[in-house]
Amino acid sequence: MRSLFTSGILLLGITASAALAGDLERACNGAGTMFIEHWPGSAPSPLLTPVFYTDPLGTAAPTFGPGLPDITCGSTGTVATSAGLQSLVNAANAWSNLTSPSAPGTVISTFSIDLSQVVNGPGHNISAPAGTAANMLPTQISPSDMINMVTLWEPASTFAAAGGPMALAITAVTTTSTAVITDADVMVNCFAQQSPGVFMYSFVENNAQLGGWVATDANYQAQTGAMTTPSTGVIDLQGTLTHELGHLAGLGHSLVDSATFPFGSLSPTMFPLATGSGQFAQTVFLGQTICLPGQPLSTGFLDSGNTASLALFGETASTLELDDVLALARGYPTAALMDPTNAAHGSISGVVLDGTGAAITSAHVVAFEASDPNGKRVSTFSYNGGYVFYGLPPGNWYVEVEPVDITGYFSGLSTPSFVTPFGPSPVGLRSCVTPINFVPEFWNVGDAATEGPAEADPITIAPYTPQNPGANTATADVFVDIFSPAPLQACLGSATGAGCTGPLSSRGVLVRQLSRVLGPNNFQVQVNGGTSYAGALCYLSIDLNQAAIALNAPWLSASPQLQVLPVAVPGQPLPLVVSGVCNAAGVATFQFPFILGQQGYNVFLQGVLLSVSGGQVGNGMLTNSVNLLIQGP
Amino acid sequence: MRTPRLSFLLLTSLLAGSLGIARASRETPSPSTPQRQLHIQVEIPSASLRTYVDSAYDVVYGRCVGTGFDATATPWPCTVYRFEALRNSRGIVLGPIDVRVVGGANADIAVRCAKSPTLEIGQEYVLFLTENPDNPSYGILGLKDGTYRVNDEGQVSGLHAGQGEPVDRFLTRVSSIMIDTKETKEAK
């Protein structure tokens, strides 16, 4: 037998893929042509086939999901008696025939999910296939059988090479070489065990007949009372399925986070899960944050309506956010979505260019509305520099562009999967585009590469009227500043060596900044200059002027409880500069106390802009601006 | 500065791409492009080191010595790494083993999975292994999250490794958790 192994990494170099997020996935062929991953047809409606299994624990009746049996063999039931099928139907409906968030009733997406094989008629009677459903279907997931299966009872071997019991769910999408989807299968790892008899996840479902949330215990029996043995997390099945069906439609993971806080209930459904605290979505602490400096996310960031169910993994993922809706609609648009005479919504488009006018592909472009930046926040990626947002509700929108970077994640969190485009690809694959690192930048009037990255102007999208026909469309071209390979010059602290001549605000090589709220009035800043700065003296400087901008921001003045007083201790000014030696990885960590202006609020501010500096003594400095979140008590 | 003309041209291309009709004249794949591509989206919640330790079939320290692609693996093609396990924490896995990770490519199919780690031949790692009951090989628990690279200075980097943490110290922490879990179980 010919050996499977080679003496070197298998590098075929014949295909390329880019897993771009917040958008339909994109894929490239070897010639550099990029394709949009999509189902064929102008109104795709992939048929989804739930697979029923005999309970692996021995229950006689076939079941789709954990908890109560769905169907007594040979009989019919209703969705109402099946929590698992309720979850699936709700998840499928969430993505089908999306309507405009600002114009209910206006369909903006042609995509739908067909569940007709399972749900019949207006009464949603379930028809079990002859015999048992499992007998009618392939016994194993196959990426090429053209049957789009949804399974919840996969054996452990299915997940063995894909994370084992840690894998919560998998969606496998098969495409042609031009990214046309031909098959998609969804597998939820309900049966994952941490150790024999100890299940990795406990699943919850909302079953009206049982009066609300139903959890499964260690034996996968339904429990309406206290949940038992949630080992790693309590998982909302509907939220998980909604997320996975987004992948089935072709969507990647979104980069649009709610905030650097695990309770980001308004994070898009397609935001990647990342935390062990049981949340579906959590911010990954990218150095390139996406909020306007000085701007809080919103007072409604913490969805108080879901506070009681924060432990429900993915609950809020069961409802789509604006980013999810518009991302799918961009891929499967109706005429109404792009109709420039539609009074309910508008569009912003433009290009992302460097200082020489060269187009930047795969820049992450984020738009958010000033009055509700948390709830109205959408993203896409540039292609040949171009980008477009359709379906934007009227309002004042900011546009920011940022590079996608592979290493700017907080070490305490799961590695974000969305960094793949610019990260090491699996063997045999390579990235579709060459990563270009640049200073995150907002669009502003007279945008150029040379002005400060935080200079931003809102773009007004007003309802279309015949008298003002262009009010709902805008163009916003953004010029960005490419990071230079060598540190630019700035002085700070004791760095007084040759070349240290510039001001603090000079742009330079990216210094990744990561922050973590340690508790009330405390947070931590981590400067990561990379191994180039191993052993160097790393600085953190506080830019009080920028902090003042935050305090003076109109959205803050309207919400005095969000004010932050940048003082270390009462009556003492915040230290302007602190320094520490970067470790071998080029990382230095600093902690700061902050006093919030008012107690008793769950306050999350993204906008106290600090300057993070790092560099070698006597060899110049480099600076970079960052945003921080500060949690109230 | 605004460049409306350029915007229009590029936007036109972009919109066409969104509609799935982009660049029709260029959609003929190059001869070497695989006819099928498989995109695996894996959701892996992060978990504590204790959870990883308790869930791992074994935790091994060793070196990647070979790699290959198994296009016939089910349900999805895998990259297979030959790994020389030099030390273990649970006393189960030692010596040459096969570690299978979803992803990879050949001339017929390209499989991509963002969460899959890429092991380099000659590079040392600490791997949290999961057992494959249907195959005489192993997987990596949590894919990238269960993969720790060991640099030339003997320091590990990964999800739960401390900054600059020596591999010996990291493995000692792993062993301590194993002992603690065992004692807790015995106490019950």
Side-chain angles (χ1 to χ4, degrees):
Chain A
M1 188 177 74
R2 186 168 62 91
S3 172
L4 183 65
F5 297 93
T6 64
S7 58
I9 295 287
L10 184 65
L11 289 176
L12 297 173
I14 54 174
T15 185
S17 300
L20 296 182
D23 213 334
L24 291 183
E25 295 276 356
R26 303 178 187 184
C28 298
N29 66 9
T33 302
M34 184 177 287
F35 300 99
I36 307 296
E37 194 170 288
H38 64 284
W39 289 88
S42 57
S45 180
L47 178 65
L48 202 58
T49 304
V51 177
F52 295 79
Y53 282 100
T54 298
D55 189 330
L57 294 175
T59 304
T63 181
F64 173 64
L68 296 179
D70 294 293
I71 302 172
T72 300
C73 207
S75 67
T76 60
T78 66
V79 171
T81 63
S82 168
L85 280 172
Q86 277 184 346
S87 297
L88 179 64
V89 171
N90 292 341
N93 288 341
W95 291 108
S96 297
N97 302 310
L98 293 172
T99 58
S100 170
S102 53
T106 300
V107 177
I108 58 174
S109 167
T110 62
F111 181 85
S112 63
I113 294 175
D114 184 355
L115 277 169
S116 61
Q117 195 171 89
V118 177
V119 183
N120 295 327
H124 295 292
N125 294 317
I126 301 169
S127 295
T132 66
N135 290 339
M136 299 295 293
L137 293 165
T139 56
Q140 191 172 39
I141 289 286
S142 168
S144 57
D145 60 7
M146 307 291 191
I147 298 175
N148 308 312
M149 296 166 67
V150 180
T151 77
L152 275 63
W153 295 115
E154 284 295 309
S157 58
T158 298
F159 297 90
M166 286 294 179
L168 171 65
I170 294 177
T171 297
V173 179
T174 303
T175 72
T176 67
S177 59
T178 55
V180 177
I181 301 174
T182 58
D183 186 301
D185 299 305
V186 176
M187 293 130 280
V188 179
N189 200 3
C190 288
F191 208 45
Q193 296 186 59
Q194 185 177 9
S195 59
V198 180
F199 290 91
M200 186 65 75
Y201 309 109
S202 288
F203 283 86
V204 295
E205 297 166 286
N206 200 343
N207 188 310
Q209 192 178 61
L210 295 178
W213 288 98
V214 181
T216 50
D217 65 10
N219 295 316
Y220 274 113
Q221 300 304 303
Q223 298 288 324
T224 54
M227 291 172 276
T228 57
T229 64
S231 180
T232 294
V234 181
I235 311 299
D236 173 37
L237 185 62
Q238 182 176 329
T240 304
L241 286 170
T242 306
H243 180 98
E244 296 309 314
L245 293 186
H247 287 317
L248 177 138
L251 290 173
H253 282 148
S254 174
L255 283 168
V256 175
D257 52 2
S258 184
T260 50
F261 195 71
F263 303 141
S265 60
L266 291 181
S267 290
T269 291
M270 294 313 296
F271 195 80
L273 52 89
T275 171
S277 64
Q279 301 303 307
F280 192 81
Q282 157 132 354
T283 290
V284 175
F285 290 67
L286 287 174
Q288 303 81 22
T289 50
I290 58 176
C291 270
L292 179 67
Q295 182 160 9
L297 288 160
S298 84
T299 55
F301 159 62
L302 183 62
D303 187 344
S304 58
N306 288 319
T307 302
S309 54
L310 285 174
L312 300 181
F313 185 102
E315 186 200 0
T316 55
S318 60
T319 56
L320 303 186
E321 306 301 335
L322 187 66
D323 183 58
D324 305 306
V325 172
L326 297 189
L328 188 75
R330 268 199 309 273
Y332 305 95
T334 64
L337 178 72
M338 297 182 290
D339 181 4
T341 66
N342 190 313
H345 53 233
S347 67
I348 297 175
S349 59
V351 291
V352 182
L353 305 165
D354 68 15
T356 68
I360 294 180
T361 287
S362 294
H364 187 224
V365 187
V366 181
F368 56 91
E369 206 277 319
S371 65
D372 185 14
N374 185 39
K376 296 176 182 175
R377 179 185 299 222
V378 295
S379 71
T380 186
F381 287 83
S382 63
Y383 178 50
N384 283 349
Y387 74 90
V388 63
F389 294 107
Y390 285 121
L392 297 177
N396 294 315
W397 292 83
Y398 288 95
V399 172
E400 186 194 5
V401 298
E402 58 182 1
V404 179
D405 181 71
I406 64 169
T407 56
Y409 66 89
F410 194 67
S411 59
L413 298 175
S414 176
T415 305
S417 58
F418 52 71
V419 300
T420 299
F422 303 153
S425 296
V427 172
L429 299 179
R430 57 188 170 86
S431 179
C432 179
V433 294
T434 301
I436 298 176
N437 200 3
F438 56 84
V439 183
E441 175 132 2
F442 291 86
W443 177 88
N444 61 288
V445 176
D447 196 279
T450 53
E451 87 275 354
E455 293 180 26
D457 291 306
I459 300 166
T460 299
I461 297 295
Y464 167 88
T465 63
Q467 294 74 31
N468 194 9
N472 65 343
T473 59
T475 299
D477 298 341
V478 184
F479 285 82
V480 300
D481 185 24
I482 306 294
F483 282 106
S484 59
L488 295 184
Q489 298 168 348
C491 294
L492 188 67
S494 58
T496 56
C500 179
T501 58
L504 281 177
S505 59
S506 68
R507 297 178 298 276
V509 172
L510 177 64
V511 177
R512 295 185 176 87
Q513 180 279 328
L514 309 159
S515 65
R516 168 193 280 178
V517 175
L518 297 178
N521 305 334
N522 272 285
F523 69 92
Q524 175 177 295
V525 175
Q526 192 175 67
V527 178
N528 183 357
T531 54
S532 298
Y533 295 91
L537 193 61
C538 292
Y539 292 95
L540 176 71
S541 69
I542 315 297
D543 189 332
L544 290 178
N545 291 328
Q546 294 285 6
I549 290 174
L551 290 173
N552 294 330
W555 44 83
L556 280 180
S557 61
S559 305
Q561 73 273 19
L562 294 179
Q563 287 190 7
V564 173
L565 302 178
V567 294
V569 294
Q572 297 294 318
L574 191 72
L576 294 178
V577 176
V578 291
S579 64
V581 177
C582 283
N583 66 13
V587 174
T589 301
F590 308 97
Q591 294 183 11
F592 282 97
F594 259 71
I595 306 298
L596 292 173
Q598 186 165 334
Q599 307 292 309
Y601 287 86
N602 287 310
V603 177
F604 306 93
L605 284 183
Q606 186 160 16
V608 179
L609 181 65
L610 308 182
S611 292
V612 175
S613 303
Q616 297 172 320
V617 174
N619 194 28
M621 293 300 303
L622 62 160
T623 66
N624 188 37
S625 297
V626 297
N627 299 325
L628 291 178
L629 297 183
I630 297 178
Q631 178 188 1
Chain B
M1 179 188 300
R2 296 190 180 203
T3 53
R5 185 176 182 83
L6 182 57
S7 298
F8 173 79
L9 293 174
L10 295 174
L11 189 58
T12 302
S13 171
L14 178 73
L15 299 184
S18 297
L19 291 170
I21 57 175
R23 313 168 74 145
S25 61
R26 298 181 62 184
E27 285 197 0
T28 302
S30 62
S32 58
T33 299
Q35 291 304 304
R36 214 157 45 98
Q37 300 200 23
L38 186 56
H39 184 189
I40 308 290
Q41 298 271 15
V42 185
E43 320 295 347
I44 297 179
S46 71
S48 66
L49 180 61
R50 175 173 292 276
T51 299
Y52 267 86
V53 171
D54 291 347
S55 305
Y57 181 69
D58 204 347
V59 181
V60 296
Y61 165 54
R63 181 180 293 113
C64 178
V65 295
T67 180
F69 181 63
D70 183 359
T72 64
T74 56
W76 311 291
C78 291
T79 296
V80 185
Y81 296 103
R82 175 63 53 83
F83 192 81
E84 185 73 26
L86 305 172
R87 293 163 59 184
N88 60 44
S89 297
R90 214 181 284 283
I92 302 174
V93 179
L94 205 59
I97 59 173
D98 289 349
V99 178
R100 305 172 77 86
V101 174
V102 65
N106 64 13
D108 299 319
I109 187 169
V111 184
R112 54 190 165 116
C113 176
K115 293 292 288 187
S116 289
T118 300
L119 307 187
E120 300 171 18
I121 293 175
Q123 178 65 49
E124 293 183 345
Y125 299 90
V126 174
L127 301 180
F128 286 69
L129 297 180
T130 183
E131 194 182 19
N132 186 344
D134 296 345
N135 199 303
S137 64
Y138 302 92
I140 300 177
L141 193 65
L143 295 174
K144 282 180 179 175
D145 288 357
T147 303
Y148 292 76
R149 182 185 175 104
V150 182
N151 66 16
D152 293 341
E153 286 73 44
Q155 297 169 328
V156 290
S157 59
L159 180 62
H160 292 298
Q163 293 168 4
E165 183 172 12
V167 64
D168 287 343
R169 187 193 303 169
F170 180 71
L171 292 174
T172 298
R173 279 206 292 146
V174 169
S175 297
S176 298
I177 292 172
M178 286 181 176
I179 293 170
D180 182 61
T181 299
K182 183 180 178 182
E183 290 177 348
T184 302
K185 285 183 177 177
E186 289 174 351
K188 290 181 179 177

